[in-house]
Structure formats: C-alpha cells, structure tokens
Amino acid sequence: MRPKTFFLLLTLLLCCLGINAQQQQDTAFRKLYQQYFKLYNKPEKEKEFWETSKKVEAYYKKQGRQRSYYKMRQNEVLYLVDHGRAYQAIKRSNEILEEMKAEGAKHFDIVYTSLATVYESRGNYRMAKHYFMESMKNVNMADSGALISIYSRIASLQSTREPKEAWEWNEKFGSLAIVYPDYYKMYLAQKGQISFFMNDKARFTKAKAEFDDYLKQHNFVDSVGMVSMSIFQKTFNEQYDEALALLDQKEVPGLDIITIHDVKGRIYETMGRYDLCLKESAIRRDLRDSLNSDLLYDNINAVNAEAGLTLLTEKAEKDHEAMIREAAKERERWFAAVIGLLAVALGLVASRYLQKRRYQKKLLKQNKELEIALDRAQESDRMKSSFIEHVSHEIRTPLNVITGFAQIITNPDYELEDDERNTMLNDISKNTIEITNIVNELLEVSEDESREHYELTDNVNIHQLCQEVVNNASVVNNGRLELSYKNMLDQNYTLLTNKQALRKILNQLMKNALKFTQQGEIELKVRERAANGGLEFTITDTGIGIDEQYHEKVFERFFKVDPFKQGLGLGLTMCRKMAELMGGSLTIDSSYKKGTRLVLVLPT
C-alpha cells in the first residue's frame, strides 16, 4: 500500500467512524464494517470486498447519512488506486460526481479529493493540487474531518516543492487535528518533513522534540513518521550514510516512492554531491514518467476491454515495453545532447579563461621587464651622478694643489728659496701622480666591465708573489705597523692563473688595510682549502673594521663607508670583479671582529 494513499484512507475511514456514532451501537453493522476493513487489503478477495462495500453503502443510504455514503464511495476510488487501476478510479470518480448531481448532493469536495489522490499517486502534482484546491472550494467549512483531510494532503503534496506554502497548510491541519492523537502525530511528522525541505534545522529540532514527546504520551500502533524523522535528524547531524541506509529500506512508513527520491536528492545536495543529486532527479523523473505511462496503458486497456477487445496479449505487452524503452532512449539522446552542449560551453569558458591567463602572464612579464629596465635606468642615472660627484671630488683637491703651486712658482713677484721651490715641485709631482692613478683606476674598472673572463695562462709561484706584495706594502708602511706573511703551502707551490690580475688584487687589498689601520698589525696568509677545494688568501688587519650591514655594499662602485675618506670607492669593486673573472670570489669574513678580514678564493 502506498503510504500517502494509506494516510488519506485512514483519515477518511476514521472520519466515517467519528461521524456515525449510532452505527457503533449496531452489532451487525459493526461486524460488517470490521469485515470491510479486513477485505480492503486482500486483493485476492476483491469480489467479496465489493459486495461488503455495497452493503455498507446501502446501510448509510438507508440511514439518510448522505455524506457518509459518499465517503464510502470515495473509498472505492482509493481501493482502485491502491490496486493499480488509476483509469478505473478516475472513471469511478466521474460516476460519483454524476450521481451527486442527479441527487442534488453538495459533497463535491469528496470527489475532487479522490481525483487529487489519483493524480498524486502518479506523480502528477500539478493536477493533484488543482483538484485539492477544487475540493477546498466545495467543502463545508464546518466539516472538520473533510478539512483535516484536505489541509494535510495539500501540506504533504507541497512539502517537497513549496515548503513555505506547505508549512501554512500544515499549521491549519494541526489546529484542527489537536483533538485527534493519530492526526496530530501526522501533523508533527509533516512539520519535521517540511522543516527538512526548508533546510531549517532550528524548526526541525523543535518539531522533533514535540514529536518525541507526543509519542511518549500516546501508544501508537503504527510507525508512520518515526523512520522519516530519524532520517531527517541524521541528515542535519551530517550522518549522511546512516540516513541513506534508512532510505534504502524496503518501505519507509509515511513516505511514498517519489518522496523518497526527493529526500535522497536533498541529502546529496546537503553533502555537496551535486552529481548524485542530479542522478536522483533523473530517477525521480523516470519513475514519474513510468507511472504516467502505466496510467496511459491502463486507460487504453480499460477502454478496449469495454469495447470487447484486449491488449493483454504478449505482443501488446512487448509493444508497451518497446515504447517505454524508446522513450528512455530518447531521453538519453536529449541528455547526451545537453551534456555535449555543456561540454562545449565549458570548453569555451576554459579556453577564454586560459587565453586571459596567457594575456595576464604576458602583461606581468612585460611589466616585470619594464620594471627591470626602469631600475637599470635609475641605477645608471645614480651611477652617473655618483661617478661625476666622486671623480670631481677626488680630482679637485690635487688639481687645486697643482694649480696653486704652479701659480706661485711661475709668479715673478714671489721670491722662493730653493728648498721651498723643490717642496712645491715635489707636491705638484705627487698630486699629478695621484690624478694619473685615479684615471688609471677608472680605466681598469671600465676594462674589467667589458671582459668576460681573464686568460689563466701564467704558472705563478704563489710564495714569491705574496712575498713581493708584502715587500711593496713594507715600503709604504715604513715601519708604522707590524706586517706578517704566513705561507701554509710548499714554497715551490705554483698556480695556473693570471699573474697580473692576482698581483693587482693583493696589492689593492694590502693598500686598503694600510689605509684603514692606525695601529696593530696586518697579516697576509695563504693556504689550500680542504673542504671545498681552491686556494685561499686572507688579508687580516686590526683597523677600524667594516660594520656587517655594509659587507656587501662596500663592493658596489663608488660606495664608501666614510664619504670623507680619500678615494673613489672603486678598490674593492675592482678586486671582486677581477676575482670573479678568474673564476674565484672575494668576501668579508663576518666572524672576525677585531678589524677586517678579506678572503680571496681562486680555483686550483
């Protein structure tokens, strides 16, 4: 028996019992009525059921209870629906309607409710709602039993489609059902179902609490609503697998087969499994189409039977099955076409997106290149300004000395002693050399910038070269500082390198050490590196040192920690560049804190 039809049947039969208190006192009629209920669910005794039904109807008619009589006639319609004969149910409804018109009866709501039930059983909810609303137009508003039936059915019908509207109908149902425990339990169960389809957990929780409390107060023999409420609760608690397992039972009291698929779809939607939700929608559609096909087939079969023909032959059944298969194939073709169109649309969207991404990447790359070009241009401007500033500053002082002394020497108004004249000439010569060194230094830097590498073709005795560098520094030092040289190599150790470049680097590093060390010592040390290979030269002094934050800055062109110190700030820049052109490196040892230690590493 379909749950929704069972629900309506129970409502109507209980209404009949409530209205007719008199027949309960008639023992013979009570037995007849009980027999009627037993036969309803025994299709093998259909003939006996119809005979009993006619006797009950005759009793009501004799008693003049017109509405009870037509409700029994409505039960005939429900019986036909429950036993799969929808066409006959519709035909029987029309017969009842004609009978009412002939007798001047005004109970059309009963017929319209019957017709609504037929269409609802076939999944045609639009027609079902239409006939329920027609029933509302014709019902006696004083007939609470009829109103209970209509309100409850519309609420159930709309619960999956228009839950907000269903809620209002269900509240009307509940206001009348409060005095009837069986009905009120159904009202609470439907309240939970509607809350589920509204996705309103707060409303559902309240409805479930009312439902559980009502079960404790009354002893119900049926389980309508209990399983469905458990399914809804598990869904809200995200126990999806358990909820789906309950739905997969053979029967869920209170839910018909179409509503079961609606519930499944809602669960899958909550899970975010839209693929399974779409699948459930397709199953529901196919089921509804199948029910409508059965109705059509039943109509044709019944009409032909009335004409003395039959379609119950094996050929007709095969034709019917073929028709259903063809309809299914047609749906599959349409579905495939829709999927194809969606794939094309998604492809276009993806292509558009990828094209946009390519343009964005290209634009970002161009912006990055422009940014780099701008940085280079700004760096070039900075370097140009710095170059002019430094060179002007470094050359201006010796030029002023040369110009001033030259003017004094060549001016006949000055009478100079030989010693004075010689001192001025020496200063002019010294500053001329200074300017020459500045120009040579600039030329060397420019030359190194254009190089890609140094030719490493000189077989250099490292001990001899280092001794030469220390001797040159000793002349400049003139005994002011303690100079030392520590050779950790064999005195005959040779290295294939560029001798001129190596000499320039070591001389410049020793020159820097002498310049920034006022007291203490300077040490040149050379050894082979065991860990990573290569030859390591270290120049260690006890001078003013270099703050760690400037350990890389000092290798930039024209950078000086003390801008007032003499020099262009190109010495270390030139040394590192030459080291790199020989395949080596030049760094500052940050672990040494008593001055400065520069580390030159060359490949062996």
Side-chain angles (χ1 to χ4, degrees):
M1 184 183 296
R2 295 181 178 85
K4 284 186 178 178
T5 306
F6 169 77
F7 175 87
L8 182 55
L9 176 61
L10 180 60
T11 302
L12 293 172
L13 294 180
L14 288 173
C15 283
C16 291
L17 289 173
I19 293 171
N20 298 283
Q22 181 179 346
Q23 75 261 13
Q24 297 297 330
Q25 299 174 1
D26 189 327
T27 304
F29 178 80
R30 188 165 59 251
K31 289 181 179 179
L32 180 67
Y33 208 78
Q34 290 173 350
Q35 183 184 12
Y36 171 81
F37 270 109
K38 291 178 182 179
L39 293 171
Y40 187 94
N41 289 315
K42 293 182 178 181
E44 72 278 5
K45 295 184 177 182
E46 182 177 352
K47 182 180 179 181
E48 190 176 348
F49 167 77
W50 287 116
E51 290 175 352
T52 306
S53 178
K54 292 301 179 185
K55 290 178 181 179
V56 175
E57 290 168 10
Y59 175 85
Y60 282 132
K61 204 158 194 178
K62 184 178 179 181
Q63 293 290 325
R65 302 188 178 279
Q66 190 181 58
R67 186 168 183 83
S68 296
Y69 165 76
Y70 283 114
K71 284 188 176 180
M72 285 301 299
R73 294 299 310 274
Q74 184 186 30
N75 286 349
E76 296 176 12
V77 176
L78 298 177
Y79 180 88
L80 292 170
V81 171
D82 270 353
H83 291 81
R85 297 202 286 276
Y87 169 74
Q88 293 181 31
I90 294 173
K91 185 179 178 183
R92 185 64 58 92
S93 295
N94 289 329
E95 290 174 357
I96 297 170
L97 187 60
E98 292 300 323
E99 185 179 342
M100 284 182 179
K101 290 178 181 179
E103 293 186 358
K106 302 295 183 182
H107 310 300
F108 298 129
D109 60 291
I110 295 174
V111 180
Y112 290 131
T113 301
S114 301
L115 287 169
T117 303
V118 175
Y119 284 108
E120 183 183 9
S121 70
R122 288 314 189 225
N124 192 338
Y125 291 170
R126 183 180 63 83
M127 289 298 295
K129 184 181 179 183
H130 167 74
Y131 281 113
F132 276 130
M133 297 311 293
E134 287 297 315
S135 182
M136 276 296 302
K137 292 177 185 177
N138 291 274
V139 71
N140 182 354
M141 298 306 290
D143 187 347
S144 60
L147 290 174
I148 283 175
S149 176
I150 297 171
Y151 291 158
S152 63
R153 296 313 304 131
I154 297 178
S156 177
L157 183 72
Q158 296 293 87
S159 63
T160 62
R161 300 163 68 242
E162 297 290 342
K164 290 184 179 179
E165 179 187 341
W167 184 272
E168 295 176 4
W169 287 106
N170 198 54
E171 288 303 300
K172 292 180 181 181
F173 167 39
S175 65
L176 296 175
I178 193 167
V179 295
Y180 306 107
D182 289 300
Y183 301 159
Y184 199 74
K185 185 189 77 165
M186 293 175 186
Y187 153 72
L188 293 173
Q190 286 199 155
K191 197 173 181 181
Q193 178 174 316
I194 296 167
S195 300
F196 172 77
F197 283 103
M198 291 175 75
N199 196 27
D200 192 329
K201 186 175 182 180
R203 286 194 186 190
F204 173 79
T205 302
K206 184 177 179 181
K208 180 68 166 60
E210 291 179 50
F211 183 80
D212 292 342
D213 186 59
Y214 205 70
L215 290 181
K216 293 176 183 177
Q217 297 175 27
H218 301 83
N219 294 319
F220 295 104
V221 296
D222 65 273
S223 59
V224 173
M226 296 180 187
V227 179
S228 60
M229 289 292 260
S230 179
I231 291 169
F232 303 148
Q233 185 177 42
K234 290 181 183 299
T235 302
F236 278 120
N237 291 338
E238 299 183 4
Q239 297 171 290
Y240 303 121
D241 291 339
E242 295 179 27
L244 291 169
L246 289 175
L247 279 171
D248 288 335
Q249 294 179 5
K250 187 175 181 180
E251 184 176 295
V252 180
L255 300 180
D256 64 20
I257 186 63
I258 292 179
T259 305
I260 286 175
H261 289 294
D262 286 329
V263 174
K264 278 188 177 181
R266 184 72 188 82
I267 293 173
Y268 288 134
E269 183 181 355
T270 305
M271 294 170 63
R273 291 297 307 272
Y274 298 106
D275 54 333
L276 297 178
C277 183
L278 181 62
K279 183 179 178 181
E280 282 301 318
S281 179
I283 293 172
R284 182 189 182 281
R285 181 198 63 218
D286 291 343
L287 177 62
R288 186 192 61 198
D289 290 347
S290 176
L291 291 172
N292 286 329
S293 295
D294 289 345
L295 177 59
L296 177 62
Y297 184 68
D298 185 42
N299 291 348
I300 296 171
N301 214 22
V303 170
N304 285 337
E306 291 172 0
L309 301 174
T310 179
L311 290 180
L312 298 178
T313 62
E314 183 179 350
K315 183 178 182 302
E317 290 178 357
K318 289 181 179 179
D319 289 344
H320 176 61
E321 293 173 1
M323 179 180 68
I324 293 174
R325 285 196 298 271
E326 183 60 31
K329 288 180 180 178
E330 182 67 20
R331 285 195 299 272
E332 290 175 2
R333 286 193 288 269
W334 276 105
F335 185 72
V338 171
I339 292 298
L341 288 172
L342 285 173
V344 171
L346 287 173
L348 291 173
V349 171
S351 175
R352 183 75 175 176
Y353 173 77
L354 291 174
Q355 187 179 25
K356 183 179 178 181
R357 288 282 295 172
R358 284 196 294 271
Y359 285 146
Q360 287 177 336
K361 287 182 179 179
K362 186 177 180 180
L363 183 61
L364 287 172
K365 183 180 178 182
Q366 290 176 344
N367 289 342
K368 189 66 177 177
E369 290 173 351
L370 289 171
E371 184 180 352
I372 293 171
L374 178 62
D375 288 343
R376 287 176 178 173
Q378 291 174 341
E379 176 66 12
S380 177
D381 287 342
R382 188 188 69 80
M383 293 298 296
K384 181 177 69 176
S385 300
S386 181
F387 171 78
I388 294 171
E389 179 184 341
H390 280 80
V391 171
S392 300
H393 174 75
E394 293 299 325
I395 292 179
R396 186 182 298 115
T397 301
L399 278 177
N400 288 338
V401 172
I402 294 170
T403 303
F405 285 165
Q407 288 176 350
I408 293 172
I409 292 174
T410 57
N411 192 332
D413 295 334
Y414 289 103
E415 295 182 1
L416 299 173
E417 298 290 336
D418 291 341
D419 291 342
E420 291 177 326
R421 185 181 300 274
N422 289 335
T423 300
M424 289 183 184
L425 288 172
N426 287 334
D427 285 341
I428 289 173
S429 176
K430 180 180 176 182
N431 282 281
T432 301
I433 293 170
E434 183 68 28
I435 292 174
T436 303
N437 289 337
I438 290 172
V439 172
N440 288 337
E441 192 173 348
L442 290 172
L443 290 173
E444 286 179 7
V445 171
S446 176
E447 184 180 359
D448 287 339
E449 285 293 329
S450 63
R451 290 177 184 270
E452 293 185 0
H453 60 85
Y454 275 117
E455 294 292 334
L456 307 179
T457 56
D458 301 324
N459 200 15
V460 180
N461 184 300
I462 297 300
H463 173 68
Q464 290 179 1
L465 180 64
C466 289
Q467 191 64 60
E468 177 188 333
V469 169
V470 172
N471 290 340
N472 291 338
S474 296
V475 174
V476 178
N477 180 51
N478 197 24
R480 183 171 62 87
L481 303 170
E482 181 182 346
L483 300 183
S484 63
Y485 163 54
K486 187 177 293 185
N487 181 17
M488 310 293 290
L489 307 172
D490 185 277
Q491 290 194 0
N492 295 320
Y493 184 93
T494 59
L495 177 68
L496 191 64
T497 184
N498 188 292
K499 185 175 183 179
Q500 184 180 358
L502 179 56
R503 181 189 288 116
K504 282 183 180 180
I505 294 173
L506 294 176
N507 281 333
Q508 181 64 48
L509 297 180
M510 289 296 290
K511 179 182 175 182
N512 277 18
L514 289 167
K515 182 178 179 181
F516 293 105
T517 304
Q518 298 302 317
Q519 59 183 4
E521 61 179 336
I522 298 173
E523 178 192 72
L524 170 61
K525 179 180 177 182
V526 59
R527 67 185 182 91
E528 277 191 299
R529 290 172 58 135
N532 300 313
L535 197 63
E536 181 183 272
F537 301 82
T538 57
I539 294 88
T540 306
D541 63 52
T542 57
I544 61 176
I546 301 173
D547 195 292
E548 191 169 348
Q549 63 177 315
Y550 299 126
H551 278 192
E552 282 300 314
K553 293 286 290 184
V554 293
F555 292 104
E556 295 179 6
R557 284 178 290 185
F558 306 120
F559 180 83
K560 295 189 293 185
V561 177
D562 184 355
F564 299 102
K565 280 284 186 181
Q566 187 180 3
L568 289 175
L570 292 173
L572 290 178
T573 305
M574 182 179 65
C575 289
R576 171 174 276 190
K577 183 65 179 179
M578 286 190 292
E580 290 174 348
L581 290 173
M582 289 192 291
S585 65
L586 178 63
T587 57
I588 297 175
D589 183 359
S590 58
S591 65
Y592 181 71
K593 305 297 183 183
K594 296 180 180 180
T596 302
R597 175 178 289 154
L598 285 143
V599 181
L600 170 67
V601 178
L602 295 177
T604 55

